[in-house]
């Protein structure tokens, strides 16, 4: 009762002072108001026995980064708000039937820490200038305010705030659903949501157990990932940003995307699929990467096709690359050319983001590049220290086949395994093609049917490879023949080059 009486008296006193201050502001000249303001605020701070600490939603002059403290506080206050707040906001989480309750703006909840009572309130500040907005929340500034008695300042600033942030992050990690993000065009970064990334739940089922590849390489990659995820103190000690780069390269269909999904599932990380052709300049790329969270994998797939990152180092295309480009339809070719022209992201800009000073903004991030043609990439882009681990995902080996057989057919051995192992050693077939042949096509397909279908496909692939090799040999022989005939025409009619040389004839003399 005594405490309530004290609070009532304090409230009455402060209310009276505020009323007098309002009347003074309304009826007294401006120069007297400025003079009076100075001493009135000092008096209020002397009488008012509480400390107020504000946590804004965004930090930085241009709202470049969402405050991790704000997000942690919002998570921490979630259960307390639903249990004690009188006014709540209800939000339906995407792809979920549950409703998330948080306290409404200008609402207050209490918390207690080591016997000390504190008050939390959610606040929203409208823009100072009136203007027409497309959405009601446009340009609003949101924050949380913590209020505590002055005599507990040291406990709150040194212990309680750290406790709240730590607990909030733990709750968020425990309750979060991993997401797959994709970057939005920069013209959509302003307005109602200001989202640089859109997302969907990440539900890819691939794991290292289901990944079909060489067993020793698989174990090596798993150990490397686990070591990285627990090496925060090690990276700080050696003076490096807590990040790691992986280059996945190999022919199409060798499991590069499945490898990324398995990495995310192993470490419980979010995945950011960065489409470079949608990024107009280096500044936009920097802002996108600043807006990624810790415990995440940033992926740039087919980086050799995304942008012209070779600078002035023009490289001659291989016959296979030229053939692949010829098979593209005209519309796809035009789209790729236009995308490269529109984007002004440079090689140096990308390098600064993944390995320069900006790469230290945040931690526990993995950067993954994928490519079908590793020889096309600039050496500066994939050197050690940027892409720390180079992983070649090649054609299906027998170890990979055994994983497929266990996953698709639920068998560990069969009398046909020996023949399949021999054919795999002689034939180049991608894991995607092996998996497709092993997959039962109807309820009547038994194990032996699927294995025999794979054997036939391997035999056909072997025959096709032999025919292509023979054709190439014939073409090569034909080239040599034409070259010899040309030399004969230049050096002497009816004489070979050797005969011309022996008889001393040159240039037709």
């Amino acid at each position: 009762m005594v405490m309530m009486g004290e609070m009532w008296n304090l409230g009455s006193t402060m209310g009276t002072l505020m009323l007098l201050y309002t009347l003074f502001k309304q009826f007294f000249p401006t120069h007297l108001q400025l003079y009076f303001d100075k001493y009135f605020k000092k008096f209020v701070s002397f009488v008012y026995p509480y400390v107020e600490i504000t946590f804004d939603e965004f930090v930085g002059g241009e709202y470049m980064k969402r405050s991790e403290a704000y997000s942690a506080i919002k998570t921490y206050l979630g259960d307390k708000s639903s249990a004690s707040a009188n006014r709540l906001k209800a939000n339906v989480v995407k792809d979920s039937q549950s409703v998330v309750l948080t306290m409404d703006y200008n609402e207050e909840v209490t918390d207690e820490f080591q016997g000390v009572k504190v008050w939390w309130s959610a606040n929203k500040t409208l823009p100072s200038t009136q203007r027409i907005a497309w959405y009601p929340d446009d340009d609003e500034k949101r924050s949380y305010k913590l209020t505590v008695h002055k005599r507990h300042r040291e406990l709150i600033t040194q212990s309680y705030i750290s406790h709240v942030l730590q607990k909030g992050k733990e709750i968020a990690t425990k309750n979060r659903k991993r997401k797959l993000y994709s970057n939005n065009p920069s013209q959509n970064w302003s307005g109602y949501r200001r989202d640089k990334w859109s997302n969907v739940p990440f539900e890819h089922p691939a794991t290292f157990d289901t990944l079909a590849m060489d067993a020793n390489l698989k174990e090596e990659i798993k150990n490397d990932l686990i070591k990285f995820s627990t090496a925060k103190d090690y990276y700080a000690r050696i003076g490096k940003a807590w990040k790691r780069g992986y280059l996945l390269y190999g022919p199409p269909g060798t499991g590069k995307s499945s490898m990324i999904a398995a990495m995310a599932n192993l470490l419980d990380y979010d995945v950011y699929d960065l489409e470079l052709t949608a990024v107009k300049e280096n500044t936009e790329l920097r802002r996108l990467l600043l807006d990624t969270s810790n415990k995440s994998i940033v992926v740039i797939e087919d980086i050799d096709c995304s942008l012209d990152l070779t600078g002035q180092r023009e490289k001659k295309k291989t016959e296979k690359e030229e053939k692949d480009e010829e098979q593209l339809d005209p519309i796809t070719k035009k789209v790729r050319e236009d995308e490269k022209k529109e984007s002004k992201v440079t090689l140096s800009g990308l390098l600064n983001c993944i390995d320069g000073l900006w790469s230290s903004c945040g931690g526990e991030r993995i950067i993954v590049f994928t490519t079908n043609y590793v020889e096309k990439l600039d050496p500066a882009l994939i050197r050690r220290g940027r892409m720390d681990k180079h992983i070649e995902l090649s054609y299906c080996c027998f170890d990979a086949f055994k994983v497929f057989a266990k996953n698709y057919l639920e068998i560990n051995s069969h009398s046909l395994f020996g023949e399949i192992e021999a054919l795999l050693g002689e034939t180049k077939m991608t894991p995607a093609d092996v998996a497709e042949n092993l997959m039962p096509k109807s309820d009547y397909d038994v194990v032996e049917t699927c294995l025999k279908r794979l054997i036939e496909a391997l035999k056909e692939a072997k025959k096709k490879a032999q025919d292509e090799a023979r054709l190439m040999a014939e073409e090569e022989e034909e080239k040599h023949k034409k070259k010899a005939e040309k030399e004969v025409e230049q050096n002497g009619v009816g004489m070979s080059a050797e005969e011309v040389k022996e008889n001393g004839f040159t240039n037709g003399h």
Side-chain angles (χ1 to χ4, degrees), residues 319 464-480:
E319 292 184 6
K464 182 179 179 181
Q466 290 173 343
D467 291 342
E468 289 179 352
R470 184 173 61 254
L471 182 61
M472 288 181 63
E474 292 175 354
E475 290 177 352
E476 193 67 25
E477 185 179 350
E478 185 67 22
K479 286 181 182 178
H480 284 299

Side-chain angles (χ1 to χ4, degrees), residues 213 221 277 438 496:
M213 60 184 299
I221 297 169
T277 55
L438 283 180
S496 68

Side-chain angles (χ1 to χ4, degrees), residues 14 17 38-51 150:
M14 293 300 297
L17 288 172
K38 177 181 178 181
Y39 294 98
F40 180 79
K41 289 179 179 178
K42 286 184 177 181
F43 177 74
V44 169
S45 65
F46 177 77
V47 175
Y48 188 65
Y50 296 98
V51 175
K150 287 182 178 179

Side-chain angles (χ1 to χ4, degrees), residues 330-345:
I331 296 178
T332 303
K333 286 183 180 179
K334 184 68 166 57
V335 168
R336 287 189 177 181
E337 290 174 1
D338 291 344
E339 285 176 342
K340 290 183 178 182
K341 289 177 182 177
E342 290 176 5
S343 179
K344 295 182 180 179
V345 175

Side-chain angles (χ1 to χ4, degrees), residues 489-493 500 505-509:
E489 292 178 357
Q490 292 176 344
N491 296 324
V493 179
V500 170
F505 291 103
T506 59
N507 295 327
H509 297 311

